[in-house]
Amino acid sequence: MTETSTKPGSGQPAAAISDFGIDTTSRSTREAIGDYFGRLRGGELGALPALLGLLVLGVVFAGLSDSFFTLNNIANLFSQGAGQTIIAMGIVPVLLLGEIDLSAGTASGVAASVMALHFTQNGNLLGNFGSAVFYGFIAGSIVAVALAVWMRVWIAAVLSLVVPVIMLAGFTANPWVEIVLAVCAGTVIGSLTGTIVAKVGIPSFVVTLALFIGWYGLVLQLVGEGGTISIRQSNVLYQVANGNLSVPAGWLLFVLAAGGYAVVVVTRHFGRLRRGLVAQPTAIVLAKAAAVLVLGAVATHLFNVNRSPNPDLTTITGVPYVVPIVLALLVAGTFVLDRTRYGRHVYAVGGNKEAARRAGVKVDKIRMSVFVICSSVAAIGAIVYSSKVGAVDGNSGGGNTLLFAVGAAVIGGTSLFGGRGRLRDAVIGGLVLATVQNGLGLLGFQAATVNIVTCLVLLVAAAVDALSRRRAAVAR
């Protein structure tokens, strides 16, 4: 999507290098750097405030706690924050449209409950749910399939159909079947939510607030008040958030992720230059690729060092599994939003819904689809946070889960007013919140202090967003 900015000092709008690389103006390295600082002065701050906040938090906690900046704690911090970060990544497309999904947390709880019960009951969900709830699930899934077909969101129709197939076929316990079932249950919920918002026309705040309560009740119905379902018996499910890649696999991940990024970026850059197209300055492109390679190599090396608190007794090495999970979602989601027609339509609807409709964009389909993405990705987040604690209980997905996920997206730089944000914002914001929770926990503070500090961080992020938008409007 092409972004425009005001050229510093000229008062004339100047095209900035965009995600899609079209309609841009060639610049030297010095001009590109100057233009970046010009956009900062114009209020387009992006994720910079969150990155600076993360740096400050790291310095403060490292100074106050000897345990904070240790390899074991840093790896633990990634695992602790991965669940809410993934849910936040799913919420970003919803926020890009200026909508909200307050039910994403409890929807993830429903997905986690279905996953855990299918595992512990060896696939006999009818016997555990009872006829009314079981066939209600089947009926809801079939309705979701029909709605997805009606809205022509084909992937949602296919995934929603998987739920009744698994439930009626009576597959026995298998962690991979449970993972697929949980994600598809999220798709069913997203199809129902998105259709109500897009076609019935009820504001998303009202719809998802009602569903937040409803899904919470369903979780209690499935798990039972005060009940807990352990999934520690499944090595696969438990290792999702608690396991690590082997050392060779960690370096293979580095080659695929950092090396792949560098090859794609550099190849695309010189390809544009050969075709005579506008491109970013070569020095900046090479600097970005080199930075990713160096940081990736350093991080992989550190994760592969034995970080056990008792190195004489146990050995803990390797990149945590949650890192490639988050990376895969980040790469796939960023590609879809930045490099596909669907992504351009999401930004177009978020920027001006009526203008997008007049341009031929199927606004209702886009609105429905982002809720499908949100609930499906929230189900993945549920798998991760359930794995971390090794169980699913009546509060799974409830409490602060949704609030922290929305907070992570906003703190990272996604606008609550729609039209502006990236998936990486959710990752950065998730790291900020995980750092706050981890650091204050090491210092012995209780949940009350953690919530108050998180509140202040979120208020600062929202204030920065509002002020930067006002400054950007004045600059134009």
Side-chain angles (χ1 to χ4, degrees):
M1 183 176 185
T2 303
E3 298 175 351
T4 58
S5 63
T6 302
K7 198 169 184 175
S10 67
Q12 299 296 322
I17 297 296
S18 70
D19 297 330
F20 294 98
I22 58 176
D23 298 330
T24 57
T25 302
S26 293
R27 291 179 175 83
S28 65
T29 302
R30 184 174 180 179
E31 289 172 334
I33 295 174
D35 183 69
Y36 172 74
F37 284 104
R39 292 202 300 274
L40 290 182
R41 289 193 293 272
E44 297 181 27
L45 302 178
L48 183 62
L51 288 172
L52 292 176
L54 186 61
L55 179 63
V56 170
L57 288 171
V59 171
V60 170
F61 286 131
L64 295 177
S65 172
D66 295 335
S67 303
F68 178 79
F69 212 61
T70 60
L71 292 177
N72 187 53
N73 186 57
I74 296 300
N76 197 34
L77 187 152
F78 278 95
S79 299
Q80 287 176 337
Q84 70 184 22
T85 299
I86 292 173
I87 296 175
M89 294 170 73
I91 290 175
V92 168
V94 176
L95 295 179
L96 286 175
L97 298 194
E99 306 279 1
I100 188 70
D101 188 350
L102 298 176
S103 67
T106 50
S108 74
V110 173
S113 302
V114 173
M115 174 188 72
L117 286 170
H118 190 277
F119 170 69
T120 57
Q121 301 301 316
N122 197 28
N124 183 19
L125 292 179
L126 175 60
N128 184 266
F129 285 6
S131 299
V133 175
F134 180 83
Y135 289 112
F137 257 96
I138 300 296
S141 302
I142 293 174
V143 169
V145 173
L147 293 174
V149 171
W150 179 41
M151 298 293 287
R152 296 180 179 274
V153 183
W154 305 116
I155 184 67
V158 172
L159 294 179
S160 297
L161 187 60
V162 172
V163 173
V165 169
I166 291 178
M167 293 178 70
L168 292 173
F171 287 97
T172 55
N174 181 300
W176 301 108
V177 172
E178 273 96 49
I179 289 174
V180 171
L181 179 61
V183 175
C184 293
T187 305
V188 168
I189 292 173
S191 298
L192 298 173
T193 308
T195 304
I196 295 173
V197 172
K199 282 300 184 184
V200 181
I202 305 174
S204 58
F205 179 88
V206 178
V207 172
T208 57
L209 177 61
L211 291 176
F212 168 86
I213 300 170
W215 300 139
Y216 180 60
L218 183 56
V219 172
L220 291 178
Q221 171 68 29
L222 296 176
V223 179
E225 293 189 38
T228 299
I229 306 172
S230 174
I231 58 173
R232 290 175 181 267
Q233 302 89 334
S234 171
N235 185 57
V236 173
L237 294 179
Y238 184 70
Q239 290 295 318
V240 168
N242 298 288
N244 303 292
L245 295 173
S246 65
V247 172
W251 284 111
L252 178 61
L253 174 67
F254 163 73
V255 171
L256 293 176
Y261 171 82
V263 169
V264 169
V265 168
V266 172
T267 302
R268 188 175 63 203
H269 173 73
F270 286 106
R272 292 182 65 85
L273 291 180
R274 280 196 302 273
R275 295 193 297 272
L277 300 175
V278 174
Q280 287 184 325
T282 301
I284 291 180
V285 173
L286 294 178
K288 285 182 179 178
V292 170
L293 286 171
V294 171
L295 291 176
V298 171
T300 304
H301 169 72
L302 293 176
F303 276 131
N304 286 335
V305 174
N306 185 9
R307 56 179 180 271
S308 171
N310 300 303
D312 295 333
L313 300 177
T314 59
T315 299
I316 303 176
T317 60
V319 178
Y321 286 142
V322 295
V323 172
I325 293 173
V326 172
L327 278 178
L329 291 172
L330 179 62
V331 171
T334 301
F335 176 81
V336 170
L337 286 177
D338 290 358
R339 301 286 169 185
T340 67
R341 184 174 63 177
Y342 172 78
R344 287 193 287 272
H345 287 179
V346 169
Y347 280 105
V349 174
N352 189 320
K353 185 167 63 177
E354 186 56 32
R357 190 192 309 277
R358 290 173 183 270
V361 176
K362 296 178 180 177
V363 174
D364 289 347
K365 179 179 178 180
I366 296 296
R367 294 181 72 197
M368 186 263 199
S369 66
V370 296
F371 285 94
V372 171
I373 293 172
C374 181
S375 295
S376 302
V377 175
I380 299 175
I383 296 168
V384 172
Y385 70 63
S386 300
S387 171
K388 182 61 184 173
V389 298
V392 177
D393 60 30
N395 288 319
S396 294
N400 291 329
T401 303
L402 182 276
L403 300 180
F404 281 172
V406 174
V410 174
I411 289 170
T414 301
S415 175
L416 282 170
F417 304 98
R420 192 173 68 183
R422 308 285 296 276
L423 280 191
R424 70 187 181 201
D425 297 341
V427 177
I428 296 171
L431 277 175
V432 171
L433 288 184
T435 301
V436 170
Q437 294 163 5
N438 180 280
L440 291 178
L442 289 176
L443 295 175
F445 289 100
Q446 301 300 313
T449 305
V450 174
N451 286 339
I452 291 172
V453 173
T454 304
C455 156
L456 295 176
V457 172
L458 182 56
L459 280 177
V460 171
V464 169
D465 176 40
L467 292 175
S468 65
R469 291 181 72 91
R470 185 184 304 172
R471 187 175 179 84
V474 172
R476 294 191 186 97

